[in-house]
Amino acid sequence: LSGTDPELNAGIKQMSFLTTEILRKKRDGKELSDDELKFLVEGFASGQIPDYQATAWLMASTIKGLSANETLVLTRAMKESGQSLDWRGLSANFKNARFADKHSTGGVGDKVSLILAPVAAALGVKVPMMSGRGLGHTGGTVDKLQSIPGFNMFPSINEMIRGLDEVGVCMMCQSAELCPADRKLYSLRDVTATIESVPLITASIVSKKWAEGVDAIVYDVKCGTGAFMETRDEAVRLAHSLVETSKRAGMAAAAWVTRMEEPLGAFVGNALEVLESVYILRNEFPSPLHKRLAQALGELSLTLAAEMAALAGVQPSFEIAQKKAREALESGAAWKIFEHMCKAQGAPTDWETRLAKAPVVKDYLAPRAGSVGEIHSRELGLAGLRIGVGRQRAEDKVDPATGFELLVARGDKVEEGQPLLRAHLRSGSQFEEIQPELSRSFVIRNVMRDEATHPTKLAVERIS
Amino acid sequence: LSGTDPELNAGIKQMSFLTTEILRKKRDGKELSDDELKFLVEGFASGQIPDYQATAWLMASTIKGLSANETLVLTRAMKESGQSLDWRGLSANFKNARFADKHSTGGVGDKVSLILAPVAAALGVKVPMMSGRGLGHTGGTVDKLQSIPGFNMFPSINEMIRGLDEVGVCMMCQSAELCPADRKLYSLRDVTATIESVPLITASIVSKKWAEGVDAIVYDVKCGTGAFMETRDEAVRLAHSLVETSKRAGMAAAAWVTRMEEPLGAFVGNALEVLESVYILRNEFPSPLHKRLAQALGELSLTLAAEMAALAGVQPSFEIAQKKAREALESGAAWKIFEHMCKAQGAPTDWETRLAKAPVVKDYLAPRAGSVGEIHSRELGLAGLRIGVGRQRAEDKVDPATGFELLVARGDKVEEGQPLLRAHLRSGSQFEEIQPELSRSFVIRNVMRDEATHPTKLAVERIS
């Protein structure tokens, strides 16, 4: 950054000196002042503070932690590094409207957003849902919706307003103008072992929801072997931090800690998960097994949608909201909203018949007789990465058509050679590539254990 | 770093992934393996690991610490990032020679090297002394010697060999080929609050002495308000780490913890400190006050020179070495070696009369009557920075002529208006600029206290 302008050089030296003093404070475990944190985040965002000072701060913060106030100030500074939306300021029609969203820490087969958003809209809450692309072994809502031909994930501000006004829901890709400081810091955290910090995770998530301009936010914090937070304790800690920071930011907030061991539902894959969402929204399943596998997923979606509506104040209580959410699903009201949204966002009326289909289908067979003990969603997620369901790096492309379809549930008795899973593939050779992950995905036990049954309830704890 | 070559990109991703895994280990306070640390240091040195990962590791290491083995491995990896010298391999004349050096953590007015090197050479040890430039409020030996007209601080390898063979001492500037990884890491530590880590300081210092190829090394670890390590505990901790790591690296080593409150001797400044060294080596002083102020400095130089000779094994014991060191000084043998060295390194015979002299001299007067309680060397050092004695940044130039001459010692009674210090300046306006630092440098007390007398002994503890 240094050049020949002596005044500019003096300014750069002064900035570097101040930054070093702030790093020293955090290194020694002291709390930074609001001004110090703002100075750092604004400096990182503008490029005036170099990456090598940013990562030193990230490491010190990951080891020493951030106070509740530091977390809020960081969250606000990241929000203020970019655009923020103010829906009631944007349209007179929104004078009495309430806006809400949901955020999930990510799971395999997690298509809750696709079901919950139209249900919540049916309960009277406006849902301006901004999602990210998938990264790693868990999928992203953007990738799933983009498997619907013509679906526009990049609506203009006027298209968003119209969608929210007329349909009640608009689903879109997070704009690059939202929290640019967060994006910059995240890419550095990814390569410096500073991802796993509860306050940094909190600031990254809450800043984006805050910028989205919602009144209420519900968090789905996954725990288990297939989740980012493996233990319940870790998940509860993150849930508390998310809820507290959101409330301090002025949003109504609650979190559900939910189990993520096996995949959510029967399907993993972009178009395949859209298909399963349609089954649930229509309450029409290709088989009793599909219905059984989708049950817990549907329940979770209704719980979270009801939470959104209750938190936003458009329903008098969570219990009433939950009852109405079930009605919205069973009456087909939610499905109508989903169809309306697809149309409003550019999909042709026959999009369902035009969903991408994989050219090759191969079944993975039980290596021996027994009962299905565990279905490891992390391993299935890693297999998905190999066949294009997800992406390893931000610049990778995903395949809309590939994925997996479970043919058994946990607890089921199986014969040797019985199909456990149907792989939807781009080519036959992909099936060979994923054999190691598939064989690790299924645990076949000799004896039937009582506890090894498909769960019907995923939510384990509510934090508010 | 990423480009279009897919194999290269895959390699970069793999390297980034491995580095992140290693950062995670250190973040969690675990000990890195030898291979992991070598991977990091070699990656930093070659530029394959970016600065933003280096600084995350520096911060994690500063907070979590390094084990004794990690410190040694880091030290070795930094040494091996550049050239190393092997004196006995370079000349048959050195078959039975023993090589030793001294390192000081830096003090104001610290011209010990200039006195100790010829004394140690007189005791029979070869002294290939490589020094750095000064940075911050403490001076550097290189800057001092460069005030001698014609003195070549960059001798060729053959000139070094000849100097060590014929004179017994060769003083030079640290080569850029010595420990390049250390230089790179140091510049990052400077701006990320990761200077103050005992293991990182240790590796930085010991790697350079190891590369210098000496058999023995004595450390002068300063403690006090004018030193980098302010408390005795901190200094002792660093001393132990330096000695232990040097021994593990195969060198004989000891450390002296010495006091650094007021300046060492009467003079602070580049040419001025050469002048005071000449006074001591010749045992001829301009006044009894100059002699009194130089006494503790001379004693410390003899102690450390004797330690070098004893550690290197060229003297049977420290006590005998100390006696011989005093003789070498009093007989003029050390002064002859200093003169010989100056000649061998390119200085003209009349260099003494050609030392730079400041054009302006101004006396700083006692603001009131009392006794001199404290003389704060840190404040004097900061005043020195303003008039070019030292440098704030590596790229700054120093002034050979400017500096300070104490006209009183601690404990002296003074009258109001009596000169306390003579400032040697480039211009009269410099005197105005340094008034705040000068007024903070001298504490004048109402009552004479017993403890407030000029110290005659600076060494407080020996660590071996």
Side-chain angles (χ1 to χ4, degrees):
Chain A
L1 263 170
S2 82
T4 50
D5 179 343
E7 252 186 65
L8 180 66
N9 279 349
I12 290 167
K13 279 179 194 174
Q14 178 66 7
M15 186 134 186
S16 176
F17 177 77
L18 284 174
T19 306
T20 306
E21 289 303 304
I22 298 172
L23 293 179
R24 178 167 288 116
K25 247 179 112 170
K26 184 42 69 185
R27 178 198 73 190
D28 295 341
K30 291 178 189 144
E31 188 175 5
L32 299 186
S33 74
D34 295 12
D35 285 344
E36 287 168 335
L37 254 175
K38 275 177 67 181
F39 172 84
L40 286 186
V41 177
E42 286 168 12
F44 299 153
S46 67
Q48 289 185 280
I49 293 179
D51 289 351
Y52 55 76
Q53 287 185 316
T55 54
W57 172 77
L58 287 169
M59 183 56 85
S61 298
T62 299
I63 295 174
K64 297 285 184 170
L66 299 182
S67 71
N69 186 59
E70 282 180 306
T71 307
L72 178 69
V73 173
L74 174 63
T75 305
R76 182 187 287 119
M78 298 213 294
K79 181 196 84 154
E80 289 177 354
S81 72
Q83 283 182 355
S84 289
L85 291 161
D86 167 23
W87 297 107
R88 280 182 288 273
L90 283 166
S91 166
N93 290 1
F94 294 151
K95 200 181 145 198
N96 296 311
R98 305 294 290 165
F99 297 81
D101 196 3
K102 179 222 58 157
H103 178 86
S104 158
T105 58
V108 177
D110 184 356
K111 67 279 290 174
V112 166
S113 289
L114 278 63
I115 303 152
L116 149 155
V119 172
L123 299 188
V125 72
K126 301 288 182 194
V127 186
M129 187 177 273
M130 297 191 183
S131 309
R133 294 169 185 283
L135 195 65
H137 74 283
T138 64
T141 299
V142 171
D143 299 317
K144 290 165 197 176
L145 284 170
Q146 284 193 321
S147 73
I148 297 176
F151 197 102
N152 175 20
M153 288 299 287
F154 302 92
S156 70
I157 191 79
N158 283 330
E159 287 168 335
M160 288 181 210
I161 292 169
R162 192 161 353 109
L164 289 168
D165 193 24
E166 294 174 7
V167 187
V169 52
C170 181
M171 296 180 85
M172 56 209 130
C173 189
Q174 255 154 25
S175 149
E177 277 116 61
L178 216 71
C179 307
D182 171 62
R183 201 164 22 260
K184 214 175 153 185
L185 278 179
Y186 191 89
S187 68
L188 289 174
R189 285 170 61 204
D190 193 33
V191 291
T192 52
T194 53
I195 292 286
E196 301 96 330
S197 154
V198 165
L200 294 180
I201 296 168
T202 300
S204 176
I205 292 172
V206 178
S207 63
K208 283 176 280 191
K209 296 299 150 190
W210 197 355
E212 229 177 58
V214 292
D215 303 299
I217 176 75
V218 58
Y219 296 103
D220 178 2
V221 182
K222 308 284 190 194
C223 72
T225 55
F228 179 59
M229 293 286 173
E230 293 203 10
T231 71
R232 181 161 166 178
D233 277 357
E234 287 174 311
V236 167
R237 209 154 62 88
L238 176 58
H240 273 293
S241 178
L242 289 167
V243 169
E244 183 181 351
T245 307
S246 301
K247 285 180 175 173
R248 280 169 176 253
M251 292 178 271
W256 286 83
V257 175
T258 68
R259 287 166 61 185
M260 172 43 63
E261 310 288 351
E262 55 246 65
L264 274 171
F267 291 91
V268 175
N270 295 302
L272 291 172
E273 293 190 38
V274 171
L275 208 60
E276 185 167 35
S277 304
V278 172
Y279 296 158
I280 292 169
L281 285 164
R282 273 204 191 131
N283 199 20
E284 283 176 14
F285 295 89
S287 77
L289 174 74
H290 284 101
K291 183 168 185 171
R292 182 155 63 100
L293 281 168
Q295 196 195 335
L297 162 66
E299 287 301 318
L300 177 60
S301 305
L302 293 182
T303 298
L304 297 176
E307 189 73 79
M308 280 167 70
L311 283 174
V314 298
Q315 292 290 333
S317 75
F318 173 68
E319 288 68 28
I320 293 173
Q322 215 172 8
K323 194 170 153 275
K324 289 206 177 162
R326 195 174 304 279
E327 287 168 13
L329 198 67
E330 287 172 356
S331 69
W335 167 241
K336 276 208 185 82
I337 290 173
F338 190 85
E339 274 195 305
H340 192 175
M341 172 185 76
C342 290
K343 195 179 165 198
Q345 295 197 229
T349 48
D350 61 345
W351 62 263
E352 269 187 80
T353 59
R354 288 166 59 187
L355 279 175
K357 274 199 165 179
V360 177
V361 164
K362 289 215 176 216
D363 286 355
Y364 178 74
L365 310 180
R368 63 190 187 85
S371 82
V372 179
E374 278 141 43
I375 304 173
H376 290 302
S377 62
R378 182 181 291 270
E379 292 294 338
L380 263 190
L382 294 173
L385 272 180
R386 292 196 182 272
I387 62 168
V389 168
R391 57 171 72 75
Q392 195 95 51
R393 294 269 148 181
E395 63 271 21
D396 295 344
K397 284 218 166 81
V398 300
D399 190 326
T402 53
F404 306 111
E405 182 180 354
L406 288 177
L407 302 176
V408 291
R410 181 145 66 116
D412 286 0
K413 283 188 184 165
V414 292
E415 298 302 320
E416 186 184 331
Q418 178 181 334
L420 300 177
L421 169 144
R422 182 157 296 159
H424 297 247
L425 305 164
R426 191 51 58 190
S427 69
S429 68
Q430 285 188 330
F431 196 59
E432 303 313 312
E433 286 174 39
I434 58 175
Q435 288 302 307
E437 286 85 3
L438 290 183
S439 72
R440 284 193 293 265
S441 296
F442 292 91
V443 176
I444 308 293
R445 290 198 174 131
N446 286 327
V447 287
M448 173 82 176
R449 293 194 193 176
D450 283 349
E451 72 270 34
T453 52
H454 186 70
T456 53
K457 198 166 180 299
L458 297 169
V460 292
E461 187 169 346
R462 181 179 188 272
I463 313 280
S464 68
Chain B
L1 263 169
S2 80
T4 49
D5 178 344
E7 252 185 63
L8 180 67
N9 280 350
I12 289 167
K13 279 178 193 174
Q14 178 66 6
M15 185 134 187
S16 176
F17 177 77
L18 284 174
T19 305
T20 306
E21 289 303 305
I22 298 172
L23 292 179
R24 178 168 289 117
K25 246 179 113 169
K26 183 43 69 183
R27 179 198 74 190
D28 295 341
K30 291 178 190 146
E31 189 175 4
L32 300 186
S33 73
D34 295 13
D35 284 346
E36 287 167 335
L37 254 175
K38 276 177 66 181
F39 173 84
L40 286 186
V41 178
E42 286 168 12
F44 298 153
S46 68
Q48 288 185 280
I49 294 179
D51 289 351
Y52 55 76
Q53 287 184 314
T55 54
W57 172 77
L58 286 170
M59 183 56 87
S61 298
T62 299
I63 296 174
K64 297 286 184 169
L66 299 182
S67 71
N69 185 59
E70 283 180 305
T71 307
L72 178 69
V73 172
L74 174 63
T75 305
R76 182 186 287 117
M78 298 215 292
K79 181 197 82 153
E80 289 176 354
S81 72
Q83 282 182 354
S84 289
L85 290 161
D86 167 23
W87 297 107
R88 280 181 289 274
L90 282 166
S91 166
N93 291 1
F94 293 151
K95 200 181 145 196
N96 297 310
R98 305 294 289 165
F99 297 81
D101 196 3
K102 180 223 55 159
H103 177 87
S104 158
T105 58
V108 177
D110 185 356
K111 68 280 289 175
V112 167
S113 290
L114 278 61
I115 303 153
L116 148 155
V119 171
L123 299 189
V125 72
K126 302 287 182 193
V127 186
M129 187 177 272
M130 297 191 183
S131 309
R133 294 169 186 283
L135 195 65
H137 74 283
T138 63
T141 299
V142 170
D143 299 317
K144 290 165 197 176
L145 285 170
Q146 284 193 322
S147 73
I148 297 175
F151 197 102
N152 176 21
M153 287 301 287
F154 302 93
S156 69
I157 190 82
N158 283 329
E159 287 167 335
M160 288 181 209
I161 292 170
R162 192 161 353 110
L164 289 169
D165 193 23
E166 293 174 8
V167 186
V169 53
C170 181
M171 297 181 85
M172 57 209 130
C173 188
Q174 255 153 25
S175 149
E177 276 115 62
L178 216 71
C179 307
D182 171 62
R183 203 166 18 263
K184 215 175 153 185
L185 278 180
Y186 191 89
S187 68
L188 290 175
R189 284 170 61 203
D190 194 33
V191 293
T192 52
T194 53
I195 292 286
E196 302 95 331
S197 153
V198 165
L200 294 180
I201 296 168
T202 300
S204 175
I205 292 173
V206 178
S207 62
K208 283 176 279 190
K209 295 299 150 190
W210 197 355
E212 231 177 57
V214 291
D215 303 300
I217 177 75
V218 58
Y219 296 103
D220 179 3
V221 182
K222 308 284 190 194
C223 72
T225 55
F228 179 58
M229 293 286 173
E230 293 204 10
T231 70
R232 182 161 165 178
D233 277 358
E234 287 173 310
V236 167
R237 210 155 61 89
L238 175 58
H240 273 294
S241 178
L242 289 168
V243 169
E244 183 182 351
T245 307
S246 301
K247 285 180 175 173
R248 281 169 175 253
M251 292 177 272
W256 285 83
V257 175
T258 69
R259 288 165 62 185
M260 172 44 60
E261 310 289 350
E262 55 247 66
L264 275 171
F267 292 92
V268 175
N270 295 303
L272 290 172
E273 293 190 37
V274 171
L275 209 58
E276 186 168 35
S277 304
V278 172
Y279 296 157
I280 293 170
L281 286 164
R282 272 202 192 134
N283 200 22
E284 284 176 13
F285 295 88
S287 75
L289 174 76
H290 283 100
K291 185 169 183 171
R292 184 156 61 99
L293 282 167
Q295 196 195 336
L297 164 66
E299 287 300 317
L300 177 60
S301 305
L302 293 181
T303 298
L304 298 175
E307 189 73 79
M308 280 166 72
L311 283 173
V314 299
Q315 292 290 331
S317 74
F318 172 67
E319 287 70 26
I320 293 173
Q322 215 172 8
K323 193 169 154 278
K324 290 204 178 165
R326 195 174 304 279
E327 286 167 11
L329 198 67
E330 288 173 356
S331 69
W335 166 240
K336 278 210 185 81
I337 290 172
F338 190 84
E339 275 196 303
H340 193 176
M341 173 183 76
C342 290
K343 196 179 163 196
Q345 295 197 230
T349 48
D350 63 344
W351 62 263
E352 269 188 79
T353 61
R354 287 167 59 188
L355 279 174
K357 273 198 167 181
V360 178
V361 165
K362 288 215 178 216
D363 286 355
Y364 177 74
L365 310 180
R368 63 191 187 86
S371 81
V372 179
E374 277 141 43
I375 304 173
H376 290 302
S377 62
R378 182 182 291 269
E379 293 293 338
L380 264 190
L382 294 172
L385 273 179
R386 292 197 182 270
I387 61 167
V389 168
R391 57 171 72 73
Q392 196 94 51
R393 294 267 148 182
E395 62 271 21
D396 296 345
K397 283 219 168 78
V398 299
D399 190 325
T402 53
F404 307 111
E405 181 181 355
L406 288 178
L407 302 176
V408 291
R410 181 146 65 115
D412 286 359
K413 283 186 183 165
V414 293
E415 298 302 318
E416 186 184 329
Q418 179 182 332
L420 300 177
L421 168 143
R422 181 158 296 159
H424 297 247
L425 305 164
R426 190 52 57 193
S427 68
S429 66
Q430 285 188 329
F431 196 60
E432 303 314 311
E433 286 173 39
I434 59 175
Q435 288 302 307
E437 287 84 4
L438 289 183
S439 73
R440 284 193 294 265
S441 295
F442 292 92
V443 176
I444 308 293
R445 289 195 175 135
N446 286 328
V447 287
M448 173 81 178
R449 293 193 192 175
D450 282 350
E451 73 269 33
T453 52
H454 186 67
T456 52
K457 199 166 179 299
L458 297 170
V460 292
E461 187 169 346
R462 181 178 188 274
I463 312 282
S464 68

